[in-house]
Amino acid sequence: MQHFVDMINSHDVSTMAEHTAPGHIDHNPGVADGIEANRAFWTQVFIAFPDLKAELHDVIAEGDRVAARIEYTATHQGPFLGIPATGNTVNFQSIDIWRLEDGLFAEHWDQLNMDDLFRQLGVTPAAA
């Protein structure tokens, strides 16, 4: 967990293999499977939010699962999900669950309140 948060706070995607398994499966529809897809995803996040910082809360582990609440703060300074930079400061949280293999993240699920994030960016998400 700490390697993952350190990667976020340093914005160093070259360290991805220190915490993510080669065959990583991501159940977030916005992130493809595998280490390279995770590197690409986080690179885009860091372009959109170049001052992004993460704080780890409530880490719970049992068997091959680890869950955590992660709080993020950042300033929107680049395109994100098609939204041009707003300059708005955001604070949001995720609840993440990972399945581990050999101490690495092999599978990932997460929940984010995207409506709250869009509100902070000053946009209204398109109706489904």
Side-chain angles (χ1 to χ4, degrees), residues 10-126:
S10 69
H11 298 201
D12 185 2
V13 296
S14 72
T15 64
M16 194 70 61
E18 292 178 16
H19 52 76
T20 302
H24 182 266
I25 299 167
D26 206 305
H27 295 281
N28 179 325
V31 184
D33 295 341
I35 289 177
E36 290 308 315
N38 268 263
R39 280 189 184 125
F41 169 79
W42 283 104
T43 297
Q44 290 301 311
V45 169
F46 299 145
I47 290 169
F49 302 99
D51 61 348
L52 180 74
K53 292 296 177 197
E55 185 175 351
L56 190 58
H57 300 285
D58 304 321
V59 178
I60 301 167
E62 184 177 324
D64 66 350
R65 305 295 165 123
V66 175
R69 180 172 56 90
I70 303 173
E71 182 176 8
Y72 301 89
T73 55
T75 308
H76 183 214
Q77 299 178 44
F80 178 69
L81 299 176
I83 303 165
T86 63
N88 293 0
T89 299
V90 297
N91 178 276
F92 58 98
Q93 296 182 26
S94 67
I95 304 288
D96 296 84
I97 301 170
W98 290 271
R99 182 180 59 79
L100 303 177
E101 283 181 7
D102 299 322
L104 300 174
F105 297 152
E107 199 167 1
H108 174 248
W109 299 261
D110 64 351
Q111 291 292 311
L112 297 153
N113 184 340
M114 294 303 289
D115 287 341
D116 183 51
L117 180 56
F118 289 138
R119 181 190 56 73
Q120 293 178 58
L121 294 174
V123 299
T124 303

